[in-house]
Amino acid sequence: MTNLAIAATGLRKSYRDKSGDKVVLDGVDLAVPEGTIFSLLGPNGAGKTTTVKILSTLTAADGGDVRVAGHDLARSPDEVRGAIGVTGQYSAVDKLLTGEENLLLMADLGHLSRRDGRRRAAELLERFDLVEAAREPAATYSGGMQRRLDLAMTLVGEPRVIFLDEPTTGLDPRSRRAMWEIVRELVAGGVTILLTTQYLEEADELADRIALLDRGRLIAEGTAEELKRRIPGGHVELAFADAARLDAAVRAVGVGTADPEALTLRVPSDGGVRMVRDLLVLLDDQCVEVAGMSVRTPDLDDVFLTLTGREKETVR
């Protein structure tokens, strides 16, 4: 049987506000095998950050049993803290310190000896391609360099489980892909990663398994391909030159999701030639001119749209 790095059963959490108790997590179960990437996705307010805070001992759960890295979260929180690392959405880098000083500070906080701390800092500066900038203030680093330093700081204590909360937010595509490679290398070395991300393609690219959290409940879980197979067919996206043509297409077709800003209409489709041909013939018969067209099979955007009933922008 595969060993689990994270095992949670019946995880619950509520907050009290002016309207009364607000349930944030309502009986969430998680099983994350060692040496894998598990991505937790969901719309804003779904409970992702609360889940990470509970699993990383930053917030107490109201109910449920949790084990992280083999340790009971309620009975042995210190052992859990010693086995994990957390890289939050907002960088923990002290920009007044140099890259090297940030790493040495983490080594001191982790009670490493002076010699071991310097050795570990040197290893991580090399690993994250920060040697040349090691003695420059972190404030001079690019966004990608700061995120690499942030992750390097998390690794000073050589954690077995790492929580990455939206680690590539704000990075350009090149820096994001560089971070993906680092994450893959960590997992290849036996580290387990729980990832939350606002980029659906990131989860698709990295995660061994994905769980979809919505309104405090897990509504779907599986590999990216398993989740995509839950969504029947794909869709045809039609583009129009102006709002009048878009409105006419909506009336003619009668189904689909219109985007008035993008001037597009997304029509459910199996992607087959006959269906696409019939759709274009229908619009042509109604004298509706199509400016562009693309055919797509289901992706994680479609999974989110179907299972949560919310568009991608809301999911983020």
Side-chain angles (χ1 to χ4, degrees):
M1 181 177 178
T2 302
N3 292 328
L4 296 179
I6 300 171
T9 304
L11 198 58
R12 297 182 179 276
K13 183 67 178 179
S14 299
Y15 293 105
R16 180 173 290 276
D17 57 21
K18 294 180 180 179
S19 61
D21 287 339
K22 179 181 179 182
V23 177
V24 182
L25 296 177
D26 189 9
V28 171
D29 298 336
L30 293 174
V32 182
E34 292 180 349
T36 64
I37 302 174
F38 188 94
S39 187
L40 189 61
L41 306 180
N44 291 335
K48 303 186 302 296
T49 297
T50 299
T51 301
V52 171
K53 285 183 176 180
I54 290 173
L55 297 177
S56 58
T57 77
L58 296 176
T59 298
D62 295 334
D65 297 316
V66 183
R67 296 187 69 84
V68 178
H71 304 292
D72 186 282
L73 189 67
R75 296 189 180 91
S76 307
D78 288 340
E79 284 78 1
V80 171
R81 294 184 191 108
I84 68 172
V86 181
T87 299
Q89 180 178 355
Y90 303 102
S91 176
V93 171
D94 188 328
K95 296 182 181 180
L96 298 179
L97 300 179
T98 67
E100 183 179 46
E101 288 169 342
N102 270 284
L103 292 170
L104 292 175
L105 174 61
M106 293 302 296
D108 287 341
L109 293 173
H111 305 294
L112 272 67
S113 68
R114 193 174 191 84
R115 179 179 179 181
D116 288 343
R118 290 193 174 280
R119 175 187 56 78
R120 185 65 176 150
E123 290 175 353
L124 291 168
L125 289 168
E126 179 71 30
R127 181 176 186 177
F128 286 85
D129 194 23
L130 294 170
V131 174
E132 293 185 4
R135 300 193 176 180
E136 298 294 331
T140 66
Y141 288 14
S142 68
M145 292 171 67
Q146 288 189 21
R147 292 307 280 172
R148 295 204 308 273
L149 176 59
D150 198 22
L151 184 52
M153 292 165 62
T154 300
L155 295 177
V156 168
E158 300 186 79
R160 294 157 53 193
V161 179
I162 298 177
F163 298 95
L164 298 182
D165 189 10
E166 301 191 12
T168 63
T169 297
L171 296 186
D172 60 76
R174 183 175 180 179
S175 297
R176 185 176 301 128
R177 290 188 176 276
M179 185 65 75
W180 291 356
E181 289 307 312
I182 291 171
V183 170
R184 291 190 183 99
E185 290 172 7
L186 290 171
V187 174
V191 173
T192 304
I193 289 179
L194 190 146
L195 169 73
T196 70
T197 178
Q198 63 174 322
Y199 302 109
L200 302 185
E201 69 272 19
E202 186 162 87
D204 202 350
E205 181 77 21
L206 292 176
D208 296 295
R209 291 188 68 79
I210 298 170
L212 177 55
L213 191 65
D214 190 27
R215 297 181 177 89
R217 291 176 175 269
L218 281 183
I219 61 174
E221 182 181 341
T223 66
E225 292 307 313
E226 286 171 348
L227 292 178
K228 292 172 189 176
R229 285 198 294 269
R230 294 183 58 168
I231 309 304
H235 65 260
V236 174
E237 187 166 278
L238 303 169
F240 301 90
D242 53 49
R245 289 183 173 87
L246 172 61
D247 291 341
V250 171
R251 291 192 298 270
V253 177
V255 296
T257 303
D259 185 337
E261 293 185 4
L263 295 176
T264 59
L265 174 62
R266 180 181 293 186
V267 182
S269 166
D270 60 7
V273 173
R274 167 174 276 185
M275 185 276 169
V276 174
R277 182 193 63 198
D278 291 346
L279 178 62
L280 294 176
V281 168
L282 171 64
L283 292 172
D284 187 57
D285 288 344
Q286 298 295 319
C287 299
V288 180
E289 184 178 349
V290 178
M293 182 190 73
S294 61
V295 180
R296 294 179 56 196
T297 54
D299 58 17
L300 286 182
D301 284 9
D302 302 309
V303 173
F304 270 78
L305 178 61
T306 302
L307 297 183
T308 71
R310 312 183 201 188
E311 292 285 356
K312 181 179 174 183
E313 288 76 16
T314 304
V315 171
R316 288 186 177 182

